[in-house]
Amino acid sequence: MGGKADDTTPSPAPPEPVLVDEERRTSLLRRITEEGGFAFVSSAEKAAAGDLRAADAAREMAWEQLHSGPWNEVVPAWRDAYAMACLHVAALRDGAGDRSEAIRALDMGIIMGGPLLRPDLDAALQRIMAQPLPEVSERRDSPVRLVCEEDSKGLDLTEVLRILPNKSLSCKIVEKRSSLSLERFVSDYFLKGCPIIISGYIDGWPARTKWKDIEYLKRIAGDRTVPVEVGKNYLCSEWKQELITFSQFLERIVSADCPSKLTYLAQHPLFDQIKELRNDIMIPDYCFAGGGELQSLNAWFGPPGTVTPLHHDPHHNLFAQVVGQKYIRLYPSSVSEELHPYVESMLSNSSQVDLDNIDAKQFPKVEDIDFIDCILEEGELLYIPPKWWHYVRSLTTSFSVSFWWSASVPPHSVS
């Protein structure tokens, strides 16, 4: 009451541990026990009490279960168990001041874990990312750009044609419309099942400028762990997948010089994982055509030379070219048999034809099949109807977003 006030600044309180509510925790541990995971349950109990070694052990046990067979045969409870172990590891690592390892653990839980604890993983990440970072004294006169000024001035078409498949840009080019209304999109393209390029629609997206700034991307996502593809494409024998930080990925993009080591962040739900990047874009109105319901929102980000081989997808696809330029070739679904899909169910939506190196003896008629193609410029949208085959090649460093949606009103079949 009458004493001198203590004016010393109190130490910041240690971060609170991430806790899973008792009901879900008990239910999950019961499911794991039923699967014979007694050792995991024991380690998880110790981890919840603050034992980091036990938390690491539990995560390793769950990881082994995730890799015990084909992904579609993994018992769902073990995916949830992995997420729980990642939450424990992250809470304890963060409490010990190891922020980067805590973030990595949570990202791994998001990427590999089940849906039960996804809200807990998101909440834990939000809490850690909100913690202030030490001031960085490094000063730059100008931001480091993903795409250099020379690239943005236009491509040398002669040079481009040398790396594209035979006959590229020599047949029918995809039609392009500026500021297309939703009504005209539906009547002229959606219902007819016709591809169309739409320009001018995404000019106001913050991503159009922000995603060209490497320092911005590092600040927002640098410590986050993402899955990437390494190699020419997923149909090649040397192709593989890796888990690296976003900063490491950006370094690979800047230094990309070997085709066999090309690194591509392909068809990844990056915007579910990193909400700050999701705030830089918006869902186009076109995605609601036909009573549309968004199915997935994926990122495609990589250096020049990345290729997605000829394949088709089951949904309507609005492909937004946010940064850079891509070459895209399209074939209608009516020529599916002539494009020789793989027989294996896992690859049945992919063609055996390598457009970059067509085997004329094995596929003598492929080069005679009609197609349409284009160079998709920065700031443009491309509508790809369901089941249309498409081949995609990055001509520059490229950051794209695909919006997949289903519709209650199907488009007409177009040959």
Side-chain angles (χ1 to χ4, degrees):
M1 312 266 183
K4 184 179 179 181
D6 185 1
D7 59 358
T8 56
T9 303
S11 301
E16 296 178 4
V18 177
L19 299 175
V20 178
D21 68 73
E22 189 61 28
E23 184 178 350
R24 282 185 299 156
R25 177 179 172 279
T26 302
S27 174
L28 175 55
L29 293 180
R30 185 184 304 116
R31 288 162 57 203
I32 294 299
T33 300
E34 291 169 356
E35 295 296 332
F38 303 105
F40 174 89
V41 171
S42 175
S43 292
E45 296 281 10
K46 294 176 183 176
D51 188 332
L52 177 57
R53 292 180 63 181
D56 284 331
R59 183 173 57 167
E60 184 62 31
M61 286 181 235
W63 181 260
E64 290 176 1
Q65 290 296 324
L66 298 186
H67 294 79
S68 61
W71 182 250
N72 61 351
E73 295 179 11
V74 173
V75 175
W78 278 111
R79 293 187 62 198
D80 289 329
Y82 182 75
M84 173 184 278
C86 287
L87 276 165
H88 287 149
V89 170
L92 295 169
R93 291 287 186 188
D94 188 39
D98 195 344
R99 180 179 185 271
S100 62
E101 279 303 312
I103 292 173
R104 176 175 173 78
L106 293 169
D107 275 326
M108 291 298 294
I110 288 173
I111 295 167
M112 303 295 291
L116 179 67
L117 302 178
R118 178 58 189 269
D120 304 79
L121 293 163
D122 287 336
L125 264 168
Q126 184 176 9
R127 181 180 57 81
I128 293 176
M129 298 300 288
Q131 296 173 13
L133 290 172
E135 290 292 329
V136 179
S137 59
E138 182 180 8
R139 179 179 175 182
R140 295 185 180 274
D141 294 329
S142 59
V144 180
R145 313 299 287 181
L146 268 180
V147 180
C148 65
E149 291 300 319
E150 286 72 17
D151 287 338
S152 64
K153 291 177 182 176
L155 297 166
D156 183 330
L157 190 56
T158 302
E159 291 298 319
V160 168
L161 288 173
R162 290 177 182 174
I163 62 172
L164 294 182
N166 193 28
K167 296 186 177 180
S168 293
L169 304 175
S170 65
C171 301
K172 184 180 179 182
I173 302 298
V174 181
E175 184 182 354
K176 184 182 297 189
R177 297 284 297 274
S178 176
S179 303
L180 185 66
S181 70
L182 177 59
E183 291 75 18
R184 294 305 298 268
F185 169 72
V186 171
S187 63
D188 295 354
Y189 305 99
F190 175 81
L191 289 177
K192 294 178 180 179
C194 293
I196 178 69
I197 293 172
I198 304 169
S199 62
Y201 189 87
I202 67 171
D203 290 349
W205 283 9
R208 288 292 312 280
T209 54
K210 287 184 174 181
W211 292 3
K212 293 181 181 180
D213 184 352
I214 287 182
E215 295 307 312
Y216 169 77
L217 295 174
K218 284 183 178 180
R219 185 171 71 254
I220 293 298
D223 290 335
R224 306 299 298 274
T225 296
V226 292
V228 296
E229 302 178 358
V230 181
K232 182 182 176 183
N233 64 61
Y234 64 83
L235 297 177
C236 296
S237 58
E238 71 274 10
W239 177 87
K240 62 181 180 178
Q241 292 178 297
E242 294 180 0
L243 289 161
I244 60 177
T245 67
F246 205 75
S247 284
Q248 291 171 327
F249 171 62
L250 291 171
E251 289 169 7
R252 292 193 190 186
I253 286 181
V254 173
S255 62
D257 55 3
C258 179
S260 64
K261 294 182 180 179
L262 283 178
T263 302
Y264 195 17
L265 192 155
Q267 198 173 339
H268 176 56
L270 183 68
F271 311 105
D272 286 340
Q273 183 184 356
I274 304 175
K275 307 298 184 184
E276 293 86 352
L277 293 176
R278 172 65 180 83
N279 294 334
D280 292 335
I281 61 175
M282 290 167 281
I283 300 174
D285 291 343
Y286 307 113
C287 297
F288 300 103
E293 181 178 341
L294 198 67
Q295 298 295 313
S296 65
L297 177 58
N298 290 317
W300 308 78
F301 187 13
T306 55
V307 170
T308 301
L310 192 61
H311 72 288
H312 67 78
D313 300 310
H315 299 294
H316 298 272
N317 182 2
L318 196 63
F319 193 79
Q321 189 59 31
V322 182
V323 175
Q325 298 156 298
K326 281 182 173 173
Y327 170 80
I328 302 179
R329 178 180 291 196
L330 300 148
Y331 295 86
S333 59
S334 58
V335 300
S336 290
E337 291 306 312
E338 299 168 66
L339 293 176
H340 306 277
Y342 279 91
V343 180
E344 302 95 315
S345 59
M346 288 284 289
L347 293 173
S348 60
N349 72 324
S350 297
S351 171
Q352 298 180 61
V353 179
D354 180 358
L355 289 181
D356 291 313
N357 186 25
I358 296 176
D359 187 330
K361 291 183 178 179
Q362 187 176 5
F363 310 114
K365 299 180 180 180
V366 164
E367 293 217 52
D368 297 325
I369 302 173
D370 290 336
F371 61 84
I372 58 176
D373 63 354
C374 66
I375 291 179
L376 192 64
E377 301 287 350
E378 188 172 289
E380 294 182 335
L381 298 170
L382 170 64
Y383 169 59
I384 305 175
K387 303 292 185 179
W388 271 69
W389 293 83
H390 45 289
Y391 160 99
V392 184
R393 173 183 280 271
S394 295
L395 302 178
T396 64
T397 297
S398 172
F399 201 156
S400 315
V401 182
S402 61
F403 299 85
W404 280 11
W405 81 96
S406 59
S408 55
V409 178
H412 303 309
S413 176
V414 175
S415 60

